[in-house]
């Protein structure tokens, strides 16, 4: 292992916001702004190396120590329960995990509920706590289609602006949990790069406080 801090960033808007936060915190890597097809970027002055990974894979890279730290949504952490340290709530990427169904739909409590979702563990836990029988239909995207096509009764999914639900004549039935992005670290990296990781956490924490982003 070299003395770089290896950071897994989620591809997409959350990753761009996360990178901007890291840049403001003093961990710039200008080349990352013109990525092309490259996935790894490093800055030999700040000793940081960034990887662009699929958002749902960030916690895998961190847990397996392919990255020392990463930025990941609470939804992914709740779903996959990785064995890593959650160091900071960054307050970005805010949304909620919710149950939604077709507008006005009702489902008898004594019937098994068909639940389509990308988050089977979150859905199972939620309904287990209610003592409700469910069948999970695991999908990988466009979850909103499931109730429209009669594939499921409800969905458990991320709601950010609510526009996707609205455009598809669906409505939120119940909120499950509020989601935001977390700064996470590999446990062994934290032990061996304590000073550097703590310094990064403190700088990010000061920035988040200043922005009033963390609730
Ligand atoms: C997510 C989520 C919803 C949508 C919610 O999907 O699964 O479909 O965003 O956002 P909104 O409330 O602002 O409309 P994503 O864009 O990740 O695509 P997916 O269908 O591949 O899951």
């Amino acid at each position: 292992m070299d003395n770089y801090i290896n950071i897994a960033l989620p591809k997409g808007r959350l990753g761009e916001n996360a990178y901007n936060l890291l840049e403001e915190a003093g961990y710039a890597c200008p080349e990352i702004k013109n990525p092309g097809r490259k996935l790894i970027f490093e800055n030999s002055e700040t000793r940081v190396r960034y990887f662009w990974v699929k958002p749902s894979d960030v916690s895998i890279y961190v847990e397996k120590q392919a990255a020392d730290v990463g930025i990941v949504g609470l939804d992914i952490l709740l779903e996959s329960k990785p064995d890593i340290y959650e160091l900071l709530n960054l307050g970005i990427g805010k949304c909620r995990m919710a149950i939604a169904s077709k507008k006005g739909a009702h489902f008898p409590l004594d019937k098994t509920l068909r639940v389509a979702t990308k988050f089977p563990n979150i859905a199972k836990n939620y309904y287990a706590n209610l003592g409700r029988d469910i069948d999970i239909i695991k999908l990988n995207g466009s979850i909103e289609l499931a109730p429209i096509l009669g594939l499921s009764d409800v969905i458990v999914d991320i709601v950010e602006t609510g526009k996707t639900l609205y455009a598809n004549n669906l409505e939120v039935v119940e909120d499950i949990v509020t989601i935001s992005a977390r700064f996470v670290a590999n446990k062994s990296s934290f032990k061996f790069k304590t000073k550097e990781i703590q310094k990064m956490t403190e700088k990010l924490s000061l920035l988040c406080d200043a922005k009033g982003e963390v609730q």
Side-chain angles (χ1 to χ4, degrees), residues 118 140-144 157-165:
K118 272 193 282 194
N140 298 302
S142 301
I143 314 296
E144 291 83 359
D157 200 16
I158 296 291
V159 179
E160 193 180 349
T161 60
K163 284 182 184 166
T164 312
L165 291 182

Side-chain angles (χ1 to χ4, degrees), residues 127-155:
Y127 283 105
N129 283 334
L130 295 180
R132 181 100 203 245
D133 282 337
I134 62 164
D135 279 340
I136 293 278
I137 297 136
K138 167 80 169 68
L139 297 176
N140 298 302
S142 301
I143 314 296
E144 291 83 359
L145 271 176
I148 298 171
L149 301 181
L151 181 62
S152 77
D153 300 317
V154 299
I155 61 173

